[in-house]
Amino acid sequence: MIKEIVIDENYTHVGLFDSMKKGDVYKVPFEKKRYNGIRAESSRRNNKGRLLGELKTAMDVKFRVSATEYPGYISIICIK
């Protein structure tokens, strides 16, 4: 499901990742600082998944972040 996220006072990167389910694609308005924060959170979540055994190899990821898939947006894709 593709969902566009609105930035307001309740927006947090952690809350965004917590609410995602398998197959979700979230579009967040692009801003360089926000993009770096979302990439860092994605990396943390993927690393935590490897440590807990949810992800098997170093190449295996649960979350993927892209700034080029939808121009003007940061797309967050939950794969697993």
Side-chain angles (χ1 to χ4, degrees):
M1 176 174 111
I2 298 176
K3 183 177 178 184
E4 190 168 329
I5 303 299
V6 177
I7 305 300
D8 59 0
E9 64 276 354
N10 297 324
Y11 171 82
T12 62
H13 300 317
V14 175
L16 188 68
F17 280 88
D18 287 340
S19 66
M20 292 186 80
K21 296 181 179 93
K22 180 180 179 180
D24 284 350
V25 176
Y26 284 1
K27 293 180 2 182
V28 181
F30 184 83
E31 187 178 303
K32 185 66 175 173
K33 290 193 313 189
R34 187 177 303 133
Y35 178 62
N36 289 335
I38 289 174
R39 277 189 16 208
E41 183 64 25
S42 170
S43 179
R44 281 187 212 107
R45 297 284 175 129
N46 288 331
N47 190 27
K48 184 178 176 182
R50 287 185 199 98
L51 292 173
L52 293 176
E54 296 170 358
L55 303 174
K56 302 298 178 195
T57 65
M59 296 296 290
D60 202 9
V61 293
K62 182 174 183 179
F63 294 101
R64 188 168 301 262
V65 177
S66 173
T68 58
E69 188 171 351
Y70 297 102
Y73 290 97
I74 303 163
S75 59
I76 308 166
I77 304 154
C78 183
I79 299 171
K80 294 184 178 187

PDB file of all heavy atoms in Angstrom, residues 28-47:
ATOM      1  N   VAL A  28       7.484  10.362   1.892  1.00  0.00           N
ATOM      2  CA  VAL A  28       7.685  11.500   2.797  1.00  0.00           C
ATOM      3  C   VAL A  28       8.278  12.637   1.976  1.00  0.00           C
ATOM      4  O   VAL A  28       9.187  12.395   1.174  1.00  0.00           O
ATOM      5  CB  VAL A  28       8.651  11.101   3.945  1.00  0.00           C
ATOM      6  CG1 VAL A  28       8.854  12.253   4.895  1.00  0.00           C
ATOM      7  CG2 VAL A  28       8.139   9.874   4.672  1.00  0.00           C
ATOM      8  N   PRO A  29       7.806  13.884   2.147  1.00  0.00           N
ATOM      9  CA  PRO A  29       8.390  15.005   1.396  1.00  0.00           C
ATOM     10  C   PRO A  29       9.900  15.087   1.608  1.00  0.00           C
ATOM     11  O   PRO A  29      10.394  14.926   2.716  1.00  0.00           O
ATOM     12  CB  PRO A  29       7.682  16.231   1.974  1.00  0.00           C
ATOM     13  CG  PRO A  29       6.392  15.695   2.491  1.00  0.00           C
ATOM     14  CD  PRO A  29       6.683  14.312   2.984  1.00  0.00           C
ATOM     15  N   PHE A  30      10.626  15.339   0.509  1.00  0.00           N
ATOM     16  CA  PHE A  30      12.084  15.314   0.553  1.00  0.00           C
ATOM     17  C   PHE A  30      12.650  16.548   1.232  1.00  0.00           C
ATOM     18  O   PHE A  30      12.234  17.672   0.978  1.00  0.00           O
ATOM     19  CB  PHE A  30      12.672  15.215  -0.852  1.00  0.00           C
ATOM     20  CG  PHE A  30      14.169  15.088  -0.852  1.00  0.00           C
ATOM     21  CD1 PHE A  30      14.760  13.861  -0.664  1.00  0.00           C
ATOM     22  CD2 PHE A  30      14.980  16.202  -1.004  1.00  0.00           C
ATOM     23  CE1 PHE A  30      16.146  13.731  -0.655  1.00  0.00           C
ATOM     24  CE2 PHE A  30      16.361  16.098  -0.991  1.00  0.00           C
ATOM     25  CZ  PHE A  30      16.941  14.856  -0.810  1.00  0.00           C
ATOM     26  N   GLU A  31      13.604  16.305   2.110  1.00  0.00           N
ATOM     27  CA  GLU A  31      14.462  17.320   2.715  1.00  0.00           C
ATOM     28  C   GLU A  31      15.744  16.590   3.070  1.00  0.00           C
ATOM     29  O   GLU A  31      15.700  15.481   3.581  1.00  0.00           O
ATOM     30  CB  GLU A  31      13.804  17.903   3.956  1.00  0.00           C
ATOM     31  CG  GLU A  31      14.558  19.068   4.545  1.00  0.00           C
ATOM     32  CD  GLU A  31      13.843  19.640   5.746  1.00  0.00           C
ATOM     33  OE1 GLU A  31      12.677  20.036   5.603  1.00  0.00           O
ATOM     34  OE2 GLU A  31      14.462  19.639   6.817  1.00  0.00           O
ATOM     35  N   LYS A  32      16.884  17.189   2.789  1.00  0.00           N
ATOM     36  CA  LYS A  32      18.164  16.495   2.946  1.00  0.00           C
ATOM     37  C   LYS A  32      18.377  15.979   4.372  1.00  0.00           C
ATOM     38  O   LYS A  32      18.774  14.830   4.568  1.00  0.00           O
ATOM     39  CB  LYS A  32      19.309  17.439   2.550  1.00  0.00           C
ATOM     40  CG  LYS A  32      20.670  16.796   2.568  1.00  0.00           C
ATOM     41  CD  LYS A  32      20.795  15.718   1.515  1.00  0.00           C
ATOM     42  CE  LYS A  32      22.223  15.191   1.490  1.00  0.00           C
ATOM     43  NZ  LYS A  32      22.363  14.050   0.632  1.00  0.00           N
ATOM     44  N   LYS A  33      18.099  16.790   5.399  1.00  0.00           N
ATOM     45  CA  LYS A  33      18.287  16.353   6.787  1.00  0.00           C
ATOM     46  C   LYS A  33      17.330  15.216   7.144  1.00  0.00           C
ATOM     47  O   LYS A  33      17.706  14.272   7.828  1.00  0.00           O
ATOM     48  CB  LYS A  33      18.095  17.524   7.750  1.00  0.00           C
ATOM     49  CG  LYS A  33      19.220  18.533   7.650  1.00  0.00           C
ATOM     50  CD  LYS A  33      19.313  19.551   8.735  1.00  0.00           C
ATOM     51  CE  LYS A  33      18.133  20.279   9.171  1.00  0.00           C
ATOM     52  NZ  LYS A  33      18.394  21.391  10.088  1.00  0.00           N
ATOM     53  N   ARG A  34      16.109  15.308   6.661  1.00  0.00           N
ATOM     54  CA  ARG A  34      15.125  14.255   6.929  1.00  0.00           C
ATOM     55  C   ARG A  34      15.554  12.955   6.238  1.00  0.00           C
ATOM     56  O   ARG A  34      15.425  11.866   6.794  1.00  0.00           O
ATOM     57  CB  ARG A  34      13.752  14.695   6.427  1.00  0.00           C
ATOM     58  CG  ARG A  34      12.640  13.755   6.802  1.00  0.00           C
ATOM     59  CD  ARG A  34      11.286  14.274   6.348  1.00  0.00           C
ATOM     60  NE  ARG A  34      11.016  15.583   6.897  1.00  0.00           N
ATOM     61  CZ  ARG A  34      10.565  16.610   6.197  1.00  0.00           C
ATOM     62  NH1 ARG A  34      10.318  16.482   4.907  1.00  0.00           N
ATOM     63  NH2 ARG A  34      10.334  17.762   6.765  1.00  0.00           N
ATOM     64  N   TYR A  35      16.074  13.069   5.023  1.00  0.00           N
ATOM     65  CA  TYR A  35      16.538  11.900   4.277  1.00  0.00           C
ATOM     66  C   TYR A  35      17.665  11.189   5.017  1.00  0.00           C
ATOM     67  O   TYR A  35      17.664   9.961   5.138  1.00  0.00           O
ATOM     68  CB  TYR A  35      16.996  12.343   2.885  1.00  0.00           C
ATOM     69  CG  TYR A  35      17.550  11.244   2.024  1.00  0.00           C
ATOM     70  CD1 TYR A  35      16.767  10.159   1.655  1.00  0.00           C
ATOM     71  CD2 TYR A  35      18.862  11.295   1.563  1.00  0.00           C
ATOM     72  CE1 TYR A  35      17.278   9.160   0.853  1.00  0.00           C
ATOM     73  CE2 TYR A  35      19.379  10.306   0.761  1.00  0.00           C
ATOM     74  CZ  TYR A  35      18.581   9.239   0.403  1.00  0.00           C
ATOM     75  OH  TYR A  35      19.088   8.233  -0.381  1.00  0.00           O
ATOM     76  N   ASN A  36      18.622  11.962   5.556  1.00  0.00           N
ATOM     77  CA  ASN A  36      19.720  11.359   6.313  1.00  0.00           C
ATOM     78  C   ASN A  36      19.211  10.662   7.566  1.00  0.00           C
ATOM     79  O   ASN A  36      19.683   9.579   7.919  1.00  0.00           O
ATOM     80  CB  ASN A  36      20.764  12.415   6.682  1.00  0.00           C
ATOM     81  CG  ASN A  36      21.539  12.889   5.475  1.00  0.00           C
ATOM     82  OD1 ASN A  36      21.653  12.183   4.486  1.00  0.00           O
ATOM     83  ND2 ASN A  36      22.050  14.108   5.549  1.00  0.00           N
ATOM     84  N   GLY A  37      18.246  11.252   8.257  1.00  0.00           N
ATOM     85  CA  GLY A  37      17.678  10.643   9.457  1.00  0.00           C
ATOM     86  C   GLY A  37      16.928   9.358   9.159  1.00  0.00           C
ATOM     87  O   GLY A  37      17.035   8.367   9.892  1.00  0.00           O
ATOM     88  N   ILE A  38      16.175   9.343   8.078  1.00  0.00           N
ATOM     89  CA  ILE A  38      15.415   8.146   7.694  1.00  0.00           C
ATOM     90  C   ILE A  38      16.372   7.038   7.267  1.00  0.00           C
ATOM     91  O   ILE A  38      16.166   5.870   7.618  1.00  0.00           O
ATOM     92  CB  ILE A  38      14.401   8.492   6.582  1.00  0.00           C
ATOM     93  CG1 ILE A  38      13.278   9.353   7.168  1.00  0.00           C
ATOM     94  CG2 ILE A  38      13.840   7.242   5.942  1.00  0.00           C
ATOM     95  CD1 ILE A  38      12.308   9.879   6.147  1.00  0.00           C
ATOM     96  N   ARG A  39      17.433   7.386   6.529  1.00  0.00           N
ATOM     97  CA  ARG A  39      18.421   6.372   6.145  1.00  0.00           C
ATOM     98  C   ARG A  39      19.096   5.771   7.361  1.00  0.00           C
ATOM     99  O   ARG A  39      19.327   4.560   7.422  1.00  0.00           O
ATOM    100  CB  ARG A  39      19.477   6.987   5.224  1.00  0.00           C
ATOM    101  CG  ARG A  39      19.052   7.052   3.804  1.00  0.00           C
ATOM    102  CD  ARG A  39      20.147   7.462   2.864  1.00  0.00           C
ATOM    103  NE  ARG A  39      21.483   7.364   3.430  1.00  0.00           N
ATOM    104  CZ  ARG A  39      22.506   8.117   3.068  1.00  0.00           C
ATOM    105  NH1 ARG A  39      22.336   9.040   2.150  1.00  0.00           N
ATOM    106  NH2 ARG A  39      23.690   7.959   3.607  1.00  0.00           N
ATOM    107  N   ALA A  40      19.428   6.610   8.345  1.00  0.00           N
ATOM    108  CA  ALA A  40      20.077   6.127   9.564  1.00  0.00           C
ATOM    109  C   ALA A  40      19.148   5.191  10.333  1.00  0.00           C
ATOM    110  O   ALA A  40      19.575   4.137  10.814  1.00  0.00           O
ATOM    111  CB  ALA A  40      20.498   7.295  10.437  1.00  0.00           C
ATOM    112  N   GLU A  41      17.866   5.551  10.440  1.00  0.00           N
ATOM    113  CA  GLU A  41      16.906   4.692  11.148  1.00  0.00           C
ATOM    114  C   GLU A  41      16.708   3.373  10.408  1.00  0.00           C
ATOM    115  O   GLU A  41      16.614   2.313  11.020  1.00  0.00           O
ATOM    116  CB  GLU A  41      15.569   5.413  11.312  1.00  0.00           C
ATOM    117  CG  GLU A  41      14.549   4.645  12.093  1.00  0.00           C
ATOM    118  CD  GLU A  41      14.935   4.403  13.536  1.00  0.00           C
ATOM    119  OE1 GLU A  41      15.734   5.174  14.105  1.00  0.00           O
ATOM    120  OE2 GLU A  41      14.433   3.419  14.113  1.00  0.00           O
ATOM    121  N   SER A  42      16.680   3.416   9.089  1.00  0.00           N
ATOM    122  CA  SER A  42      16.564   2.200   8.293  1.00  0.00           C
ATOM    123  C   SER A  42      17.765   1.283   8.534  1.00  0.00           C
ATOM    124  O   SER A  42      17.611   0.064   8.705  1.00  0.00           O
ATOM    125  CB  SER A  42      16.474   2.563   6.813  1.00  0.00           C
ATOM    126  OG  SER A  42      16.582   1.434   6.001  1.00  0.00           O
ATOM    127  N   SER A  43      18.948   1.871   8.561  1.00  0.00           N
ATOM    128  CA  SER A  43      20.153   1.096   8.816  1.00  0.00           C
ATOM    129  C   SER A  43      20.123   0.469  10.208  1.00  0.00           C
ATOM    130  O   SER A  43      20.492  -0.701  10.389  1.00  0.00           O
ATOM    131  CB  SER A  43      21.373   2.002   8.668  1.00  0.00           C
ATOM    132  OG  SER A  43      22.538   1.289   8.927  1.00  0.00           O
ATOM    133  N   ARG A  44      19.668   1.238  11.200  1.00  0.00           N
ATOM    134  CA  ARG A  44      19.555   0.698  12.566  1.00  0.00           C
ATOM    135  C   ARG A  44      18.586  -0.474  12.624  1.00  0.00           C
ATOM    136  O   ARG A  44      18.855  -1.492  13.255  1.00  0.00           O
ATOM    137  CB  ARG A  44      19.057   1.791  13.524  1.00  0.00           C
ATOM    138  CG  ARG A  44      20.100   2.737  13.954  1.00  0.00           C
ATOM    139  CD  ARG A  44      19.547   3.682  15.030  1.00  0.00           C
ATOM    140  NE  ARG A  44      20.208   4.957  14.893  1.00  0.00           N
ATOM    141  CZ  ARG A  44      19.669   6.064  14.406  1.00  0.00           C
ATOM    142  NH1 ARG A  44      18.410   6.086  14.031  1.00  0.00           N
ATOM    143  NH2 ARG A  44      20.372   7.167  14.309  1.00  0.00           N
ATOM    144  N   ARG A  45      17.443  -0.324  11.975  1.00  0.00           N
ATOM    145  CA  ARG A  45      16.429  -1.390  11.993  1.00  0.00           C
ATOM    146  C   ARG A  45      16.944  -2.652  11.299  1.00  0.00           C
ATOM    147  O   ARG A  45      16.705  -3.769  11.765  1.00  0.00           O
ATOM    148  CB  ARG A  45      15.141  -0.925  11.315  1.00  0.00           C
ATOM    149  CG  ARG A  45      14.452   0.227  11.985  1.00  0.00           C
ATOM    150  CD  ARG A  45      13.730  -0.231  13.220  1.00  0.00           C
ATOM    151  NE  ARG A  45      13.161   0.885  13.929  1.00  0.00           N
ATOM    152  CZ  ARG A  45      11.909   0.953  14.322  1.00  0.00           C
ATOM    153  NH1 ARG A  45      11.094  -0.051  14.098  1.00  0.00           N
ATOM    154  NH2 ARG A  45      11.477   2.008  14.973  1.00  0.00           N
ATOM    155  N   ASN A  46      17.629  -2.481  10.170  1.00  0.00           N
ATOM    156  CA  ASN A  46      18.166  -3.635   9.458  1.00  0.00           C
ATOM    157  C   ASN A  46      19.250  -4.326  10.279  1.00  0.00           C
ATOM    158  O   ASN A  46      19.307  -5.557  10.338  1.00  0.00           O
ATOM    159  CB  ASN A  46      18.713  -3.221   8.091  1.00  0.00           C
ATOM    160  CG  ASN A  46      17.608  -2.868   7.123  1.00  0.00           C
ATOM    161  OD1 ASN A  46      16.503  -3.390   7.209  1.00  0.00           O
ATOM    162  ND2 ASN A  46      17.897  -1.970   6.215  1.00  0.00           N
ATOM    163  N   ASN A  47      20.106  -3.547  10.942  1.00  0.00           N
ATOM    164  CA  ASN A  47      21.155  -4.122  11.778  1.00  0.00           C
ATOM    165  C   ASN A  47      20.545  -4.877  12.965  1.00  0.00           C
ATOM    166  O   ASN A  47      20.990  -5.972  13.308  1.00  0.00           O
ATOM    167  CB  ASN A  47      22.096  -3.031  12.276  1.00  0.00           C
ATOM    168  CG  ASN A  47      23.327  -3.591  12.940  1.00  0.00           C
ATOM    169  OD1 ASN A  47      23.742  -4.697  12.634  1.00  0.00           O
ATOM    170  ND2 ASN A  47      23.898  -2.840  13.845  1.00  0.00           N
TER     171      ASN A  47
END
